[in-house]
């Protein structure tokens, strides 16, 4: 059920289950960087309908520190990988800093390529009273960025999403000791 946290038996291997796993980390009392609001939510999705069905990667950071991660590749009949973990305020603070430094909140996606049969990407961010929700086609390389109608804004989006993916893969890899694709 959406939003519920389910505990898995200790014997189950995390990467072999389709059910979310909840693990609480120690909460640290670290204030966000100066000038960055406390209200924060981030969700990223990239996916397509392909040979193996609906394949996607999605993660979200909630204001309470919960990181939810899902990877559905169906490659070699793999099952969906779902992970849930609570991150500390220090991690959220660093994430807010990455988003703030990118200046993505000043961008506009009106001239981004529209999603197509090749797939779509979505980035939703709430920082304080500013809420953005970008939707675009999957970006295969910087060549796709250069050929777009707004290469500067799309380049900013591209680099931020690459940074966010690396950040999440590091957190998931360190916490669960798996190697996400």
């Amino acid at each position: 059920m959406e939003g519920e946290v389910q505990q898995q038996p200790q014997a189950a291997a995390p990467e072999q289950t389709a059910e979310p796993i909840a693990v609480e980390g120690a909460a640290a009392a670290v204030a966000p960087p100066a000038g960055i609001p406390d209200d924060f939510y981030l969700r990223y999705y990239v996916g397509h309908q392909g040979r193996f069905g609906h394949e996607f990667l999605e993660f979200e950071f909630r204001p309470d520190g919960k990181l939810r991660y899902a990877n559905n590749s169906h490659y070699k009949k793999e099952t969906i990988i779902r992970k849930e973990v609570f991150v500390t305020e220090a991690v959220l603070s660093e994430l807010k800093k990455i988003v703030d430094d990118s200046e993505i909140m000043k961008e506009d996606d009106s001239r981004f390529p529209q999603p197509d049969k090749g797939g779509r990407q979505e980035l939703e961010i709430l920082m304080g009273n500013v809420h953005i929700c970008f939707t675009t086609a999957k970006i295969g390389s910087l060549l796709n960025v250069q050929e777009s109608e707004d290469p500067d804004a799309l380049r900013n989006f591209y680099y931020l999403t690459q940074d966010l993916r690396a950040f999440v893969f590091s957190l998931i890899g360190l916490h669960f000791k798996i190697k996400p694709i």
Side-chain angles (χ1 to χ4, degrees), residues 5 11 15-16 22 42 54 61 71 75 93 97-98 100 102 107 112 123-124 126 138 160 165 171 176 178:
V5 176
E15 54 273 350
Q16 296 175 353
L42 184 142
H54 183 207
F61 287 89
N71 188 339
Y75 180 69
S93 180
K97 184 178 178 309
I98 291 169
D100 192 52
S102 76
E107 301 293 354
F112 284 7
L123 178 65
E124 180 180 5
L126 170 68
K138 282 175 68 173
L160 174 62
R165 289 170 63 139
L171 290 171
F176 292 103
I178 63 168

Side-chain angles (χ1 to χ4, degrees), residues 113-165:
Q114 292 299 308
D116 55 19
K117 66 179 180 178
R120 71 186 295 129
Q121 291 185 86
E122 300 172 0
L123 178 65
E124 180 180 5
I125 303 172
L126 170 68
M127 279 185 78
N129 61 353
V130 179
H131 181 237
I132 62 165
C133 189
F134 292 156
T135 303
T136 187
K138 282 175 68 173
I139 302 170
S141 69
L142 282 174
L143 183 60
N144 300 122
V145 171
Q146 289 305 114
E147 294 172 347
S148 73
E149 291 180 30
D150 190 356
D152 293 332
L154 195 58
R155 184 179 308 107
N156 194 0
F157 175 87
Y158 176 79
Y159 283 128
L160 174 62
T161 58
Q162 294 301 310
D163 289 347
L164 293 173
R165 289 170 63 139

Side-chain angles (χ1 to χ4, degrees), residues 11-56:
E15 54 273 350
Q16 296 175 353
T17 180
E19 297 297 320
I21 297 176
V23 180
E24 286 194 50
V30 177
I36 298 178
D38 287 334
D39 293 343
F40 183 77
Y41 172 82
L42 184 142
R43 183 183 68 82
Y44 174 72
Y45 165 90
V46 60
H48 69 277
Q49 280 293 121
R51 192 167 112 194
F52 301 107
H54 183 207
E55 298 181 299
F56 67 91

Side-chain angles (χ1 to χ4, degrees), residues 62-126:
R62 295 184 177 179
D64 64 354
K66 182 186 281 187
L67 164 59
R68 298 182 73 209
Y69 168 89
N71 188 339
N72 192 25
S73 73
H74 287 306
Y75 180 69
K76 293 188 178 179
K77 301 189 188 217
E78 287 290 322
T79 60
I80 188 169
I81 299 170
R82 291 187 192 271
K83 304 290 181 193
E84 289 186 358
V85 63
F86 282 91
V87 297
T88 64
E89 276 296 321
V91 172
L92 282 178
S93 180
E94 186 60 30
L95 182 64
K96 292 174 189 178
K97 184 178 178 309
I98 291 169
V99 170
D100 192 52
D101 288 350
S102 76
E103 298 185 348
I104 194 71
M105 305 302 279
K106 298 175 184 174
E107 301 293 354
D108 179 12
D109 71 339
S110 62
R111 296 181 8 196
F112 284 7
Q114 292 299 308
D116 55 19
K117 66 179 180 178
R120 71 186 295 129
Q121 291 185 86
E122 300 172 0
L123 178 65
E124 180 180 5
I125 303 172
L126 170 68

